[in-house]
Amino acid sequence: MLVRGNVVVEGVATGKIQFLHMDYEEHLRTYTAGDTETEKEKYQQALELASKDLERLLASDEGLSESERGIMEAHQMLLEDVAFVEAITEYAGSGMSAPKAVLQAVDDFKTMFDAIDDPYLRERQNDMVDVGNRLLRKLLNIPEFSIEGEDVILCAKDIEPSIMAGLPEKKVKAVLLESGSKTSHTVIIAKSKGFVTMVGVELNSEMAAQGEEIIVDAVKGEIFLQPSAEQLKDFRKQVEQQEEEHAYLMERAQLPACTRDGKEVLVAANISSPEDMEKACEYGCQGVGLFRTEFFFMASSRLPSEEEQFQAYKSVAEQAKGDLCVIRTLDIGGDKHCDCLQLEEEENPFLGFRAIRICLQSKDMFKTQIRAILRAGVYGKVGIMIPMVTMLSEITETRKLIEEAKVELQAERIPYGEDVLVGIMVETPASVIMAPVFAKYVDFFSIGTNDLVQYTLAVDRGNQTVNYLYDYFNPAVVQSIHRVVTAAHEAGIWVGMCGEMAGDRLALPFLLAVGMDELSMSASQAPGVKEQIRSLESGQCSLEKILQCSETEEVRSYLKEFLK
Ligand code: PEP
Ligand code: MG
């Protein structure tokens, strides 16, 4: 039986499925409350036990990362927060049972956080629930969750961040969640622990029994239930190879990516939140080639303020420690929706009101983002990148707004980075054709193959029916890339790539031969790509031969020869 899900952390795993149910409802129904003094006392005991648990977790050598430690410390503070403790004690004193008093206080705090116009604080609601649940487990005598045995594949509707943080890395092989967004704390922690992770997985104990062996293929987004002995053998072998390769690559992750003939290619990270930087640095990424800032706007029901954006961009710039961080301006529209902008439904959204088109018609919003990016430029090397460019005026108008923003900041005596770079995504056929002209107006290009393929080949990137046509090895795309690199270098600017092609090891011989200066990808791909670059010569693959190919398969099979 096959179940599908969305891959968050790539990899393959085999192991015994363990379901995690935290059924508080059932326990609450059977709880017998005492008088007010007894309930207050029970709460005090629960508080002490919960606090000791957190202390133990923080003192243990479970290998908590910095961000996990930060979250756990925040939980400890919330648990002992005077207002929170008083609220629970008061509710218990007014006749509520201790568990109900905890639930009521958590609810009050959640409502309070919800009213604050700050996505970061709103996200803290989850921490409040997590802390409340920790108290509930103590009050209801629910044992703390523990992993049974080795090689566990954990399956749950959702997992609280503190439980995820306490999961032993050596025992858990994969995590399958029914809910969970990419920006939730739980998923951030799963990523930082390096668990093979999928979300959107609908799998319950009627489909597989607790302890049953399953296969997780979080490369293709597939889970095999009741696998055959043959399948298991095959996947176990893949897991072994994956572990050996990973250990080797991580040892070498911080080395530069220099070809055998001495050409260095920068390998940067694609990120969508400041939290992604921890792994980007650990995995040897040299700065950020694409910060998808849509994350702020999509996670919020109102436009994020300049200050909120500034704090996030500043954090990324600081964590990059002198390496360049390319911050892409809002790329909403197409398949990316956002409640805080009331955009009309469109027949053909990918060809509609998207990215720079929206920004140039909402100049206040655009300038707010530009100001936040410029201000972050004081804390590191920063670049502004414009998505979906099709016309020169989109670049010149943006540049005008950048200059206006600088004048404003100067007048307001707010420091900003004087030398913030301005570049564009080359992801439309118009920008490929106009590359020699556009190159004169910007500091860099970054090729976005995800959109370039869909617009060049007239293939919707999300449409499964025409998926067979979606291929960056199509000669039309290959020739476009060559044209863009040539135009950039003739104009004396650098050119990178931040679409999925940049992280594909098969594409590397071509990307080196064509002369790409930077490749940006999700952090987990970086060590492998860097190693591959170190094994190749920049001119090993003949650019001429590739450009002569007239079929996609011809390009692919020519490239395969280099990776044998
Ligand atoms: C791209 O189009 O290649 C790209 C990197 O941008 P996105 O996937 O965010 O559209
Ligand atoms: Mg794009």
Side-chain angles (χ1 to χ4, degrees), residues 270 290 292 294 328 331 335-336 350 354 385 387 425-427 446-452 454-455 461 470 497-501:
N270 287 354
L290 167 65
R292 290 182 163 104
E294 298 79 76
R328 180 173 74 181
D331 182 9
D335 58 349
K336 291 182 240 176
F350 273 120
R354 183 183 166 191
M385 179 155 73
M425 300 263 316
V426 178
E427 53 182 346
S446 185
I447 303 176
T449 49
N450 307 345
D451 277 311
L452 186 59
Q454 82 162 342
Y455 293 129
R461 64 195 257 188
Y470 186 96
M497 177 177 280
C498 59
E500 289 307 301
M501 187 183 199

Side-chain angles (χ1 to χ4, degrees), residues 7 9-13 196-198 216-221 235 239 242:
V7 176
V9 181
E10 260 193 34
V12 286
V196 167
T197 309
M198 280 165 68
V216 176
D217 182 349
V219 177
K220 294 196 183 130
F235 272 89
V239 171
Q242 176 182 282

Side-chain angles (χ1 to χ4, degrees), residues 217-271:
D217 182 349
V219 177
K220 294 196 183 130
E222 296 174 341
I223 298 147
F224 298 92
L225 308 182
Q226 296 93 38
S228 66
E230 195 66 21
Q231 276 177 315
L232 271 172
K233 198 171 144 209
D234 179 33
F235 272 89
R236 279 195 193 120
K237 215 159 144 204
Q238 286 187 41
V239 171
E240 247 172 61
Q241 283 167 353
Q242 176 182 282
E243 280 167 2
E244 280 166 22
E245 196 191 15
H246 181 73
Y248 176 76
L249 292 177
M250 287 309 285
E251 268 172 33
R252 299 166 59 82
Q254 303 301 329
L255 298 175
C258 283
T259 59
R260 291 215 310 260
D261 53 324
K263 184 176 183 321
E264 182 170 4
V265 182
L266 279 182
V267 174
N270 287 354
I271 61 163

Side-chain angles (χ1 to χ4, degrees), residues 22-51:
M22 283 287 176
D23 197 352
Y24 297 105
E25 293 286 318
E26 181 66 32
H27 286 81
L28 276 169
R29 267 197 299 275
T30 52
Y31 180 84
T32 19
D35 59 23
T36 49
E37 282 316 306
T38 317
E39 289 307 289
K40 279 207 264 183
E41 200 163 308
K42 279 197 207 159
Y43 161 61
Q44 278 306 328
Q45 283 167 1
L47 176 58
E48 267 167 44
L49 289 173
S51 182

Side-chain angles (χ1 to χ4, degrees), residues 18 28 45 53 130 147 156 173 176 197 200 235 249 331 345 349 388 428 450-451 468 490 502 540 543 547 560:
Q18 187 174 339
L28 276 169
Q45 283 167 1
D53 270 5
D130 193 323
I147 292 294
K173 297 298 164 200
L176 307 174
T197 309
F235 272 89
L249 292 177
D331 182 9
E345 289 261 319
M388 263 286 277
T428 63
N450 307 345
D451 277 311
Y468 70 101
E490 276 176 4
Q540 194 172 341
L543 183 60
L547 295 175
K560 274 185 186 158

